[in-house]
Amino acid sequence: MLKWHNFAYFFASILPFLTPDLCHAQTPWPVRVVIVTTFENGADKGDKPGELQLWAEREHLTETISFPGNEHPILSNPEHTEIAIVTGMSLVNAGPSVMALGTDPRFDLTHSYWLVAGIAGIDPKIAPLGSAAWARYVINDVAQSIDSREIPKDWPYGIYPAGAKRPASLNGADVHYGPNAPYPIVFPLNAQLAHWAFEETKQVPLMDTPEMRAYSAGWSSYEATKGKPKVIEGDSFASDLYWHGNYLNQYARDWVKMFTAGKGIFAMSNMEDSAIAASMVRLDHMHKADFKRLMILRTASNYTVPPTGKKAYQSVEEKYPDEGLPAYDAAWHVGSIITHKIMNNWDTFKDNVPD
């Protein structure tokens, strides 16, 4: 026989999740902006920051909401109009976390803008550390691979599209590789929204420290690393493989260019964005979210190739200068401008996506 106190404890534990969907006692909260981060270092506030902490502290996200679809709770402002999640790192964590939030009956996300604000590795050909890039395309890495020691002598690397004859070519490959293809590879984001966000933030001054400058000296052969950090438009290449090195960096450049018909520019390397984009496409099909309102902002914590004089295996584990703070700060500093713009002009942006 089930004892009453055990039943009461069980019912109390599940009541927050039954109430919105089954009991209809709570109207779903109409969220305006969802901040998507991928990891945090330690506590959410007051210690060494990760991707979430500056948002938690500076956006006054004072309410903690249980999130059974994820290991980290949701943070929210008191009005429940701005929330932030931590997806967990890698594609296999990021996608399920976004789907879990998108199908959570406590939130109305049908008009929400989703802002991915995470750090990344940057191609030194594009910009220096601490820079921020608004993506127009997210590219996935579904591919065939041959060990580099076994590839033909005229191949630049051993990774190529399924069905293709060689790397950096779509000859022979399936022509379907968009968001709804059997193997999705390219996710075109709302380019007008991305460009609007860029125009609104392109003059924002970003953190520039002596340690960053000293660290970047190892990449001085790249002209782009010599200037100050800046806001740019550049695209996101997401892979569950944490790769590093000159050959794989060229592969990323070629891959992004190839799958965007020459329109995309590889800027930022990460391990989450394609899974987030894929989840948003499915939530859009379910009328739970609007894929056109997905924004991806990545900020540079490290370079994707080794410095002059070092091999890739010697630099892949190098610590980020200033413990990554310039990249964390850029993500909040740039992203918060767009967040506040949307939040403060909700009468306009609720039904009209900016362009």
Side-chain angles (χ1 to χ4, degrees), residues 7 43 170 176 288 294 318:
F7 177 79
L170 289 175
H176 302 290
K288 297 288 188 180
L294 173 62
E318 281 190 350

Side-chain angles (χ1 to χ4, degrees), residues 198-267:
F198 166 71
E199 289 290 337
E200 292 288 330
T201 58
K202 63 184 180 181
Q203 300 299 331
V204 174
L206 302 177
M207 186 179 291
D208 186 18
T209 70
E211 186 175 345
M212 290 167 62
R213 290 297 182 98
Y215 181 85
S216 290
W219 290 263
S220 60
S221 59
Y222 295 90
E223 193 65 29
T225 66
K226 299 177 183 178
K228 293 183 177 182
K230 57 186 178 180
V231 180
I232 63 172
E233 291 178 285
D235 300 309
S236 169
F237 179 67
S239 170
D240 259 342
L241 178 69
Y242 190 106
W243 57 267
H244 182 74
N246 291 295
Y247 292 103
L248 291 176
N249 195 66
Q250 187 58 50
Y251 148 68
R253 291 171 181 166
D254 295 343
W255 198 261
V256 170
K257 183 177 180 181
M258 180 168 56
F259 281 104
T260 61
K263 298 177 181 177
I265 299 173
F266 166 60

Side-chain angles (χ1 to χ4, degrees), residues 297-344:
L297 174 69
R298 285 287 177 171
T299 57
S301 58
N302 60 290
Y303 293 116
T304 52
V305 300
T308 301
K310 283 190 175 182
K311 301 293 186 181
Y313 72 88
Q314 296 173 312
S315 63
V316 67
E317 295 291 342
E318 281 190 350
K319 293 182 178 180
Y320 304 153
D322 298 294
E323 297 186 307
L325 181 59
Y328 300 133
D329 184 75
W332 174 81
H333 207 65
V334 176
S336 65
I337 292 175
I338 298 304
T339 299
H340 299 162
K341 186 86 172 181
I342 292 170
M343 297 276 291
N344 296 334

